[in-house]
Amino acid sequence: MKLFVYHTPELTPTDMPECAIVVDVLRATTTIATALNAGAEAVQVFSDIEVLMQVSEQWPADKRVRVGERGGQKVAGCDLGNSPLDCTPEMVNGKRLFMTTTNGTRALQRVQNAPVVITSALVNRQAVVEYLMTKKPETVWILGSGWEGSYSLEDTVCAGAIANSLITEMGYPVDDVAGNDEVYGAISLYLQWQDQLYQLLNSASHGRRLAGLKCYDDLKYCAQTDKLDVLPIQSEPGVLVKSNLETQNLQYWMDDSNT
């Protein structure tokens, strides 16, 4: 397995990896994991608000939730902004979320043609690591969403958390796994801040922006590691569903036993 970290969608190569992991800790991928864990049927992402409105109109009103965020604030005409804490079972269970955000949905569109696309945040880091250890894809990109094309601390520290856990649990030397220098940098950032992730998120530029909007509870929630045992995975371009890794593992074993 070769692991590559890219800080923004603009920095990725033109080819596609076997597995792409999109990270937007503040807050899109945290919200996606939380919504699917709360029983959402799927999360469908859009970069364009008008397209989101048009597509979601074709869905029954009682089975849809429109999630729109720009600049950290809710988009007019949407039901929710981008706060994971709003994704309660009462709000999202059995419904499809139609979602557009400043950065995360753009990153998802960049890699939507990869064979496997999953999303990670700190809250579901271990579920992602377990998927990688089970499936062992040959090439893996961890793609940070950044902020409007620029680097973000929170996405890089999450990439480092994934990479560090993966190499530790698989027992591989980092030199055998790292495909670019960014992997080393991400791991180093995580090891320095692993016990102070809330402080790091508050120091990050987008964290300060959210604090200015009084999203203190969001910051605390997003800084938690391994809170949710949920793996969001793309079922079709732009549509993320909850993967049942236990079922996948059983099917893999049954297929292998029949060969």
Side-chain angles (χ1 to χ4, degrees):
M1 184 188 301
K2 278 294 181 184
L3 186 64
F4 299 81
V5 170
Y6 297 103
H7 297 310
T8 68
E10 292 78 9
L11 293 173
T12 57
T14 55
D15 59 343
M16 286 290 119
E18 186 176 336
C19 175
I21 305 169
V22 173
V23 176
D24 186 0
V25 172
L26 297 174
R27 294 167 287 174
T29 58
T30 305
T31 298
I32 290 169
T34 304
L36 292 175
N37 188 69
E41 175 263 334
V43 180
Q44 189 166 351
V45 300
F46 301 82
S47 59
D48 186 277
I49 296 171
E50 293 303 318
V51 176
L52 180 153
M53 292 297 183
Q54 293 168 10
V55 173
S56 62
E57 273 298 321
Q58 302 167 24
W59 213 258
D62 63 343
K63 293 294 184 180
R64 72 175 183 231
V65 178
R66 290 166 171 159
V67 178
E69 172 268 330
R70 288 294 183 272
Q73 302 193 65
K74 187 176 83 165
V75 172
C78 289
D79 304 298
L80 301 177
N82 193 18
S83 173
L85 298 179
D86 289 338
C87 294
T88 61
E90 294 77 14
M91 174 60 72
V92 305
N93 186 44
K95 299 178 183 179
R96 176 167 296 212
L97 273 65
F98 296 87
M99 183 183 204
T100 181
T101 70
T102 305
N103 304 294
T105 51
R106 184 169 51 87
L108 279 161
Q109 287 200 328
R110 171 67 187 90
V111 294
Q112 68 180 9
N113 292 326
V116 176
V117 178
I118 59 181
T119 66
S120 183
L122 291 167
V123 293
N124 69 320
R125 182 270 307 261
Q126 190 58 34
V128 171
V129 171
E130 290 174 4
Y131 177 88
L132 295 176
M133 291 195 301
T134 301
K135 300 300 183 180
K136 296 181 175 62
E138 187 173 331
T139 55
V140 178
W141 291 2
I142 305 178
L143 173 57
S145 299
W147 176 262
E148 296 184 340
S150 62
Y151 173 91
S152 65
L153 277 172
E154 67 275 8
D155 292 347
T156 303
V157 82
C158 183
I162 296 167
N164 183 70
S165 184
L166 183 66
I167 63 174
T168 299
E169 294 189 35
M170 296 190 77
Y172 292 164
V174 64
D175 289 352
D176 291 352
V177 177
N180 60 3
D181 289 353
E182 287 88 336
V183 175
Y184 294 93
I187 292 173
S188 297
L189 181 69
Y190 172 70
L191 291 176
Q192 180 178 351
W193 289 93
Q194 60 183 317
D195 298 320
Q196 303 176 75
L197 292 172
Y198 178 58
Q199 290 87 338
L200 178 67
L201 265 59
N202 275 276
S203 298
S205 59
H206 191 36
R208 295 197 302 270
R209 189 177 295 109
L210 290 173
L213 296 171
K214 304 189 185 305
C215 298
Y216 309 118
D217 290 340
D218 276 9
L219 287 167
K220 290 178 183 177
Y221 180 83
C222 294
Q224 297 178 88
T225 306
D226 304 336
K227 180 180 177 63
L228 304 177
D229 185 20
V230 59
L231 181 76
I233 190 164
Q234 183 173 258
S235 60
E236 59 183 274
V239 178
L240 295 149
V241 298
K242 181 179 178 180
S243 172
N244 189 328
L245 189 58
E246 182 177 341
T247 300
Q248 288 184 16
N249 290 345
L250 177 61
Q251 186 62 49
Y252 177 83
W253 177 84
M254 291 173 65
D255 291 346
D256 186 60
S257 66
N258 290 329
T259 58

